[in-house]
Amino acid sequence: MSRPDDSSPEPRGWAPRPQYPTPPPPPPGTPSRGRRRWPWVLLGLLILLLGGCTALFAVFAHQVSEEAGRPAKITYAATGKATGVTISYSSWRDGNVSTSQVGGQNLPWTKVITTKGFVKGGSLIVTLGADGGAATCSVTVDDAPPITASAMGPFASAVCNGF
């Protein structure tokens, strides 16, 4: 048994395939669509970014090294009207903290030290005795403005830090 429409080249319900024209060839000198440039552009940008970060780190490391080797003059001073004062001071010297304390001092009192290292800060604490009085502590690093604090009364303390 044969069906009357078996002679058609396409199965039933199918339409013939459309014929598309072939695109013209690209003009000479244009890149082919098969080559992709964006990975190379991305790689170039990544290399530039890494180079910039490396240069920035090198400059920062040089400045830190230079600052660590620079000597600094730290001047500790305690002024006022008091007797029997206890004075404690500390600073960083070549990467280690150095702490000293002197007791029974009369004001005024001054101590100058020279230190080097990246961290140069420390503290100065002036503690008044049982007789009280008034005291002001002052710390100057090189030519920077001094850091000061004051105290009044028995066993009061003036604390200078953050330099």
Side-chain angles (χ1 to χ4, degrees), residues 101-118:
Q101 182 174 354
V102 292
Q105 297 293 308
N106 294 328
L107 299 182
W109 174 89
T110 304
K111 177 77 175 180
V112 178
I113 65 168
T114 301
T115 184
K116 67 179 179 177
F118 184 66

Side-chain angles (χ1 to χ4, degrees), residues 7-128:
S7 60
S8 67
E10 298 287 334
R12 190 172 15 175
W14 289 49
R17 292 186 180 161
Q19 297 296 322
Y20 295 109
T22 58
T30 59
S32 67
R33 293 187 50 85
R35 297 180 76 188
R36 295 198 172 147
R37 288 189 180 178
W38 69 266
W40 295 107
V41 171
L42 187 62
L43 179 64
L45 289 174
L46 183 64
I47 289 172
L48 284 174
L49 180 66
L50 288 175
C53 289
T54 302
L56 185 64
F57 179 76
V59 167
F60 178 72
H62 175 71
Q63 288 179 345
V64 167
S65 175
E66 201 172 88
E67 178 64 22
R70 184 182 66 82
K73 181 176 97 173
I74 301 175
T75 304
Y76 299 99
T79 58
K81 293 183 180 183
T83 58
V85 175
T86 301
I87 299 171
S88 301
Y89 59 95
S90 65
S91 67
W92 287 90
R93 291 187 182 184
D94 300 322
N96 299 313
V97 69
S98 171
T99 304
S100 299
Q101 182 174 354
V102 292
Q105 297 293 308
N106 294 328
L107 299 182
W109 174 89
T110 304
K111 177 77 175 180
V112 178
I113 65 168
T114 301
T115 184
K116 67 179 179 177
F118 184 66
V119 179
K120 295 177 178 65
S123 64
L124 171 63
I125 303 169
V126 179
T127 305
L128 302 172

